[in-house]
Amino acid sequence: METILALSLVTNIGANAAVKAASLAARNTDTAMARLGSGTRIGAARDDAAGLGTASRLMSEARGLDQALRNASHAQTAMGELVGKYADMGDTLQRLREITVQGANGTNASTEFTYLNKEYDELLEHIEAIATPISSGFTLNFQIGASADDTFEFTIAKISVSDLGLQPSASAEGLSSTDAYTGHISKLDSALATVVERQAIIGAHINRLDYRMGHLATSSQSAKESLGRIQDADYAVETTNLAKAQILQQSATSMLAQANMSKDVILSLVQG
């Protein structure tokens, strides 16, 4: 049974359908243009509510990892400064040991001991000056991850001339004889061993941070890639959508004009 449509003037069914189609096409055109203009697929929560939540989480993770990477780099810089201090101490201690070995030689007289002791004391003061910033020791906590518990604690043990077991030449165990200098060689060896051990510990921490930074860089890259797959606009898809929406919009506008003109038939009937 065929459906017979009455000629109606008040309700223009064709025009209503064309208006709806034109409105939908205009919205799709705006959406495609917004995505192409911004480069992102999710401009608002209505575009993809679940995707927006995931994208926000991945953004936080990526930015946190990037900052953690910078933190680890700063930690390495701080440790590198300490390595420099200990290296300077080690060089100075090597010279002190050289002086001590020279003083242990039986050809020295009181005049030579005076000269040796003068240089010895000056070098001890130099070591004390280097050690002053870390003479009390302290602990540093570095945030090297995106999560609150991704921290690295680094403890710097106190160090000074006395901690190294050394004293000025005029102390109770004064360096005023060959035997005194001979007995002092072992103290310099012990001091050197302490400094080298500290350097080795810091060097191990720096190497650990190297690997940590590599891990952070890889994790950040993975998070950004995942974020891009969720958030970034696909230009091939969006340009196709834009062309389709523009054609449909033009077509719907044309049909709307045709629907409005169709009512001329009713007017011709009325006018006889």
Side-chain angles (χ1 to χ4, degrees):
M1 182 177 180
E2 294 184 0
T3 300
I4 300 176
L5 295 178
L7 291 176
S8 172
L9 181 61
V10 176
T11 303
N12 191 334
I13 297 174
N16 290 341
V19 167
K20 179 181 178 182
S23 177
L24 178 60
R27 184 165 65 250
N28 290 339
T29 298
D30 291 341
T31 298
M33 292 178 68
R35 290 176 177 175
L36 289 170
S38 65
T40 59
R41 184 181 65 85
I42 306 174
R46 67 182 183 184
D47 294 331
D48 185 350
L52 179 64
T54 303
S56 178
R57 177 180 60 79
L58 288 171
M59 176 66 77
S60 296
E61 181 180 348
R63 295 181 67 171
L65 289 168
D66 286 344
Q67 183 57 56
L69 182 59
R70 290 191 289 272
N71 290 352
S73 178
H74 295 163
Q76 274 195 329
T77 300
M79 291 183 186
E81 292 178 359
L82 288 174
V83 169
K85 289 180 181 297
Y86 281 116
D88 196 357
M89 286 185 197
D91 291 341
T92 307
L93 287 171
Q94 291 287 3
R95 176 55 185 161
L96 282 171
R97 191 181 188 283
E98 186 178 358
I99 292 171
T100 303
V101 171
Q102 183 180 358
N105 190 25
T107 61
N108 295 306
S110 60
T111 301
E112 283 74 22
F113 284 132
T114 299
Y115 296 152
L116 290 173
N117 290 350
K118 177 61 176 176
E119 183 178 0
Y120 182 93
D121 291 339
E122 290 291 338
L123 292 177
L124 280 188
E125 289 185 13
H126 176 63
I127 291 176
E128 196 68 38
I130 298 171
T132 296
I134 55 175
S135 59
S136 300
F138 52 88
T139 297
L140 298 175
N141 285 298
F142 300 109
Q143 184 69 38
I144 56 172
S147 302
D149 57 349
D150 289 335
T151 59
F152 171 57
E153 184 177 279
F154 173 56
T155 299
I156 302 170
K158 71 187 189 72
I159 190 169
S160 64
V161 167
S162 60
D163 292 326
L164 292 173
L166 303 177
Q167 304 178 67
S169 63
S171 64
E173 301 177 4
L175 297 175
S176 58
S177 67
T178 299
D179 290 341
Y181 269 99
T182 300
H184 204 67
I185 293 175
S186 61
K187 292 186 177 182
L188 267 300
D189 288 338
S190 177
L192 277 166
T194 298
V195 170
V196 170
E197 180 185 15
R198 300 283 180 88
Q199 285 180 285
I201 291 172
I202 298 173
H205 289 325
I206 291 175
N207 286 340
R208 173 186 173 181
L209 288 174
D210 271 335
Y211 285 100
R212 181 64 180 181
M213 289 167 68
H215 170 70
L216 290 171
T218 301
S219 298
S220 176
Q221 179 182 353
S222 298
K224 290 173 182 176
E225 288 175 355
S226 298
L227 176 62
R229 284 191 290 270
I230 294 172
Q231 181 177 265
D232 292 355
D234 186 332
Y235 272 71
V237 172
E238 298 304 332
T239 52
T240 300
N241 290 341
L242 177 61
K244 176 182 176 182
Q246 288 176 330
I247 292 172
L248 289 174
Q249 187 176 22
Q250 294 173 4
S251 177
T253 302
S254 177
M255 291 304 100
L256 178 59
Q258 292 291 330
N260 289 333
M261 292 177 60
S262 67
K263 297 307 176 182
D264 293 345
V265 176
I266 298 176
L267 291 177
S268 63
L269 290 174
V270 174
Q271 291 173 355

